[in-house]
Amino acid sequence: MSENMIYRLRGISVEAQLGELRKATDHAVLKEWLGAGVKFASTGGRLEETYYNGLSKLFDCIVPTMGDAPVLHEGGIYLGCWMESTGTINNELLSRFLPSVSEDTFQLFADYQKEDGQLPYKVTENGPAYRQIQMVTPLARSVWNHYVLNGRNQTFLRKMYEAMVRHDEWLATYRDTRQTGCVEAFCTFDTGHDLSPRFWHVPDSAHLDDARQYNPDSPTLPFLAPDLTANVYCQRLYLSRMAQEFGDEQAAEEWKVKAEKSLDSLFVHCFDKEDAFFYDVDRNDEWVRVQSDVLLRVLACEVGDGEFFAASLRKYLLNTSKFFAKYPFTSVAMDDPRFDPFSSYNTWAGTSNFLSLIRTPHAFEHHHRYVELTWVLNPIVTALAQMTRFAQTVSPWTGKEGYTESYSPAILCLIDFIERMCGIVPRPDGELWFTALVPYPQDHGEVMAAETGYSRIVDGVSFEFVTTRDGGTVYRNGEASLQIPFGTRAVTDRKGQLKAIIGMSVRTIEGTVQYEGQEIPLHVKGNEQVELVNGQFISVRDIGVIYPTYR
């Protein structure tokens, strides 16, 4: 069966799948995509058709803005680039496929920085806008991952570093009015939490459209905001890496010290030990007790150790009365009386949002919770396979797409989740991941993809990867080089040399790995990593699996 799939994969023409290109700049974008060698094939379901439909719509989201270079747009009704999404996490994912588009999109925010250091919260064809800050994923993390994955362009890194240093100073000057060390939210849009009960009775935008001010007549503002504070904590960690990259050890150490101060402020002011949850604190020092995706945002900013993350999984993220809906994750805990499941409008009051979904993998993978992440990937890929519009929201009950269309976070979610589940993922640390899973037919038993094929060119080497229920086969420059059992992930270097195997199933996988003419016995548990040492696998990490909870 795998031989049929490899021939199917090789026979696919991305150009033919996309059809006639709609814009002059699409030709350069297509050329770059083809240079990455990325193709996807599947049998037995809708996933392949949906993939190329999504890719076509992604090209529609890549548009010249404030210049000739094509840059990524948010898509749907959002005509431009938003810092909270397009300029950070969307761009970080796109960087694996279209790095030049990502780099030009990142630079838009530095190019239109104000003299006082504030970065625009969005850039559209009408120019930059500054009336709020709208920060979620740390810009520095996204920039760093792009940098190390795509040739380490120091000119680019220096430009972005200097812009982010000035923005850090701006935040310290204008967004710490209570002198707590936390970053303060002045309005709903500062965190992009439209209609969330977190911000009931708070204006949507900053006072007088000035991001340095909040409504002086508000009974609650300013909030000490845990997600904004965590953002700056993580931002400073990555600014430290950048300073070290430039050889400035003193600055690197200073950023680490500043990061620790942000972390201390986060836990001192915004963490409720009894609930084990992060809350805003209003001007009256009252907790804003709304359990929202703020928790996931903070965790995605690398806050907390593995034990802390595991506890958050048990109590909240994998709890079916909190955030672990049939199509996770909800934007407000389901047991909150203010929870609103409807997805037909732009809302963060309950429904699952694709922006939350694309922010999720970093939080899980940072703590090696690979198996638990598959419980998110599978239902969402199943839902995506049936989509035609690529909406901003997805019903947590039914998986049906909701508000707007051609939304780049949803499209990138599809492309990213497929690559993590059954594709070839180039990692910032120099590794490649080959994961032998296919979407399980969970909804009405309907198959979305029985077998899959994926290809990618890395440093001039052509890799192909075919997955069936029997396992996965890696082809290197056309020749089979590695076979792994179903339910495992192969970790290689960028040349395809096998380094380790990770268990990707809740069950223990027993079988053999075929590599370099050898059959190597394999016994690997869920989330366990075994490294190849002198022709045999040695366990180097075995953290177990966290199971779903219900109350």
Side-chain angles (χ1 to χ4, degrees), residues 201 395 439:
H201 310 296
S395 168

Side-chain angles (χ1 to χ4, degrees), residues 401-514:
E401 55 191 321
Y403 178 71
T404 201
E405 61 185 351
S406 298
Y407 187 61
S408 67
I411 300 165
L412 288 164
C413 186
L414 172 71
I415 293 170
D416 176 62
F417 279 20
I418 284 176
E419 191 162 274
R420 291 179 193 276
M421 178 177 279
C422 53
I424 306 166
V425 181
R427 300 282 299 163
D429 59 9
E431 294 177 344
L432 300 179
W433 285 354
F434 300 82
T435 308
L437 295 171
V438 294
Y440 190 84
Q442 200 151 307
D443 292 358
H444 307 288
E446 186 173 353
V447 173
M448 295 300 156
E451 299 179 349
T452 62
Y454 200 91
S455 68
R456 177 180 272 285
I457 297 171
V458 180
D459 298 339
V461 178
S462 174
F463 290 100
E464 297 160 314
F465 184 56
V466 169
T467 303
T468 72
R469 293 292 303 182
D470 296 324
T473 302
V474 177
Y475 296 81
R476 186 180 185 276
N477 289 331
E479 300 293 330
S481 61
L482 171 65
Q483 288 184 297
I484 59 175
F486 186 85
T488 66
R489 168 177 286 161
V491 180
T492 77
D493 64 16
R494 289 176 67 89
K495 295 179 181 179
Q497 298 297 306
L498 181 62
K499 297 172 65 178
I501 298 290
I502 296 172
M504 296 296 294
S505 170
V506 70
R507 63 187 171 91
T508 298
I509 305 295
E510 296 194 54
T512 59
V513 171
Q514 296 183 33

Side-chain angles (χ1 to χ4, degrees), residues 51-126:
Y51 181 90
Y52 289 104
N53 181 29
L55 183 58
S56 175
K57 292 181 184 298
L58 179 64
F59 275 46
D60 292 341
C61 296
I62 298 173
V63 184
T65 304
M66 303 296 289
D68 297 329
V71 295
L72 182 64
H73 278 208
E74 191 78 355
I77 67 161
Y78 307 102
L79 303 178
C81 308
W82 267 254
M83 172 67 75
E84 68 155 326
S85 46
T86 334
T88 49
I89 186 60
N90 299 16
N91 228 10
E92 186 174 333
L93 300 184
L94 188 70
S95 179
R96 301 206 306 265
F97 307 91
L98 297 168
S100 72
V101 176
S102 291
E103 192 155 301
D104 287 332
T105 308
F106 281 129
Q107 291 184 101
L108 273 181
F109 293 90
D111 289 341
Y112 292 100
Q113 185 171 34
K114 293 176 72 173
E115 289 186 7
D116 67 0
Q118 185 189 358
L119 293 173
Y121 79 89
K122 71 174 180 180
V123 180
T124 72
E125 62 181 7
N126 296 319

Side-chain angles (χ1 to χ4, degrees), residues 280-348:
D280 298 296
V281 182
D282 76 4
R283 70 183 296 170
N284 309 304
D285 289 326
E286 292 280 345
W287 297 113
V288 182
R289 289 190 179 277
V290 177
Q291 292 182 349
S292 71
D293 67 309
V294 160
L295 174 64
L296 184 58
R297 293 178 173 198
V298 171
L299 294 171
C301 288
E302 304 178 11
V303 169
D305 59 14
E307 184 178 342
F308 185 88
F309 187 74
S312 298
L313 289 181
R314 291 187 187 97
K315 190 164 186 177
Y316 291 106
L317 295 182
L318 296 182
N319 185 336
T320 62
S321 69
K322 292 292 186 181
F323 297 98
F324 198 41
K326 182 176 182 181
Y327 299 91
F329 289 108
T330 59
S331 48
V332 169
M334 289 175 281
D335 62 355
D336 189 307
R338 294 157 290 197
F339 172 77
D340 172 12
F342 293 103
S343 57
S344 57
Y345 45 91
N346 174 23
T347 173
W348 289 80

